[in-house]
Amino acid sequence: MEDKIEEGGSTTRPLLLTESNYDYWKNRMKWYLKSQDEAIRRATQVLWTPPTAIVDGVEAVKSEDQWTAAESTTCAANSKAVSTIQCAVRPSVFKIIQNFETAKELWDALQLTYEGTKSVRKSKLHLISTWFESLTMKDDETIADFEKKSSLYC
């Protein structure tokens, strides 16, 4: 089976996530975001929250004009990561992530959608390992037939 890559190979345009390329997309997107700026990639790993300050003994969200340069930079990195990820998915996938406002939430939602929970990933790995261990070529089977059979699971 031949891989079909609809987009890619560009430093100015992220790879498009499809129904079947999540693992490839995830790795390429990580490096694409990192190439834009390490802070942008980090936004997918660390939950951004609006800066707060203590006002009259109560914690409150700061107005944007009170943000420090570092707080503004972190917010911008989150916004760039969100925008980049949104541009790298089809409309059907956008529905999954459209209501999230942080890059980490988007990243985690896509990971959960395509990889499942840790226990689901562990079960899938066990199934694949079991299948691989039992994989044998029959005496009357051609190499082409064996390759077709084995590629169904990969």
Side-chain angles (χ1 to χ4, degrees):
M1 182 190 317
E2 185 177 317
D3 290 333
K4 182 179 178 191
I5 299 175
E6 296 180 18
E7 299 286 335
S10 173
T11 59
T12 59
R13 186 173 181 185
L15 178 69
L16 184 66
L17 175 61
T18 66
E19 300 79 29
S20 61
N21 74 343
Y22 176 74
D23 291 335
Y24 180 71
W25 178 89
K26 180 180 174 183
N27 190 43
R28 292 287 307 268
M29 183 57 72
K30 176 181 81 171
W31 287 101
Y32 181 84
L33 293 169
K34 192 175 181 95
S35 74
Q36 303 305 305
D37 188 303
E38 177 58 31
I40 295 171
R41 192 229 29 105
R42 193 177 317 112
T44 66
Q45 305 303 303
V46 178
L47 183 65
W48 179 82
T49 56
T52 59
I54 304 297
V55 179
D56 296 328
V58 178
E59 187 173 30
V61 174
K62 289 182 183 180
S63 62
E64 288 184 28
D65 63 330
Q66 295 177 338
W67 290 3
T68 65
E71 291 167 340
S72 292
T73 300
T74 303
C75 177
N78 177 69
S79 297
K80 288 175 185 175
V82 167
S83 179
T84 302
I85 293 168
Q86 288 176 341
C87 289
V89 300
R90 293 175 183 241
S92 59
V93 177
F94 183 78
K95 291 176 185 177
I96 297 168
I97 61 173
Q98 68 184 352
N99 293 320
F100 296 116
E101 297 201 10
T102 71
K104 179 164 179 33
E105 291 171 320
L106 270 72
W107 195 261
D108 290 349
L110 291 171
Q111 185 169 325
L112 183 61
T113 299
Y114 287 93
E115 293 180 354
T117 63
K118 284 185 179 184
S119 62
V120 168
R121 289 191 300 268
K122 191 173 183 177
S123 293
K124 285 180 181 179
L125 183 59
H126 178 70
L127 285 171
I128 292 170
S129 297
T130 302
W131 169 82
F132 181 75
E133 289 168 2
S134 67
L135 184 63
T136 57
M137 186 171 163
K138 297 177 183 171
D139 290 337
D140 62 339
E141 193 170 32
T142 67
I143 291 173
D145 289 339
F146 178 73
E147 192 275 331
K148 284 180 190 174
K149 177 177 72 175
S150 62
S151 69
L152 293 174
Y153 297 97
C154 297

